[in-house]
């Protein structure tokens, strides 16, 4: 395998995803599965009084999410060493009917 990484970072403006982690995690897991990624494990943490972070370890790398409920925002960062599921992930994420604004960085090194 050639040493390559594909990376995407984005922000989602969403009251429901920033305040209800179960909605966010279900959304992310659906995108990962629909993209063809293999989920190996997941670890998450609920902050007090609010906030949530979650990381999925994938056989192809990882996905991390962090919520900022006070601003109704979610930060998502995806890294993958396999191009095809990564491209599918982007297609699904950016065609969903949600308010996504992003800084997209695809790196091929």
């Amino acid at each position: 395998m050639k040493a390559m990484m594909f990376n995407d970072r984005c922000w989602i403006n969403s009251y429901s995803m920033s305040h209800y982690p179960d909605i966010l995690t279900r959304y992310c897991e659906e995108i990962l599965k629909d993209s063809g990624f293999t989920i190996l494990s997941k670890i998450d943490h609920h902050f007090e009084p609010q906030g949530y972070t979650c990381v999925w370890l994938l056989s192809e790398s990882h996905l991390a999410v962090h919520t900022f409920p006070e601003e109704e925002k979610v930060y998502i960062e995806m890294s993958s060493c396999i191009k095809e599921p990564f491209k599918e992930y982007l297609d699904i994420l950016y065609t969903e009917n949600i308010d996504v604004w992003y800084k997209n960085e695809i790196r091929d090194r």
Side-chain angles (χ1 to χ4, degrees):
M1 174 187 287
K2 185 177 179 181
M4 298 171 59
M5 288 303 292
F6 304 94
N7 184 272
D8 181 73
R9 300 181 290 178
C10 72
W11 289 92
I12 296 175
N13 296 320
S14 172
Y15 176 87
S16 62
M17 287 192 202
S18 64
H19 284 82
Y20 300 100
D22 56 325
I23 293 173
L24 175 61
T25 57
R26 189 169 48 249
Y27 173 78
C28 289
E29 288 178 4
E30 285 178 14
I31 290 178
L32 289 171
K33 290 175 185 173
D34 291 347
S35 300
F37 284 108
T38 303
I39 299 172
L40 299 175
S41 65
K42 176 181 89 170
I43 187 168
D44 64 355
H45 181 76
H46 296 265
F47 294 95
E48 290 297 331
Q50 62 185 359
Y52 176 74
T53 191
C54 185
V55 178
W56 287 267
L57 177 62
L58 310 172
S59 63
E60 304 84 2
S61 199
H62 65 276
L63 176 76
V65 298
H66 309 279
T67 68
F68 299 85
E70 61 278 3
E71 296 185 31
E72 299 180 2
K73 294 188 183 332
V74 177
Y75 178 77
I76 300 177
E77 186 162 341
M78 161 60 80
S79 292
S80 175
C81 59
I82 308 291
K83 189 174 189 174
E84 288 311 312
F86 178 77
K87 287 171 55 179
E88 185 66 25
Y89 164 86
L90 293 180
D91 287 346
I92 294 169
L93 180 67
Y94 293 116
T95 57
E96 290 288 324
N97 193 13
I98 56 174
D99 186 7
V100 177
W101 57 281
Y102 63 97
K103 178 180 181 195
N104 187 2
E105 293 182 5
I106 301 174
R107 296 187 180 124
D108 182 351
R109 293 189 177 164

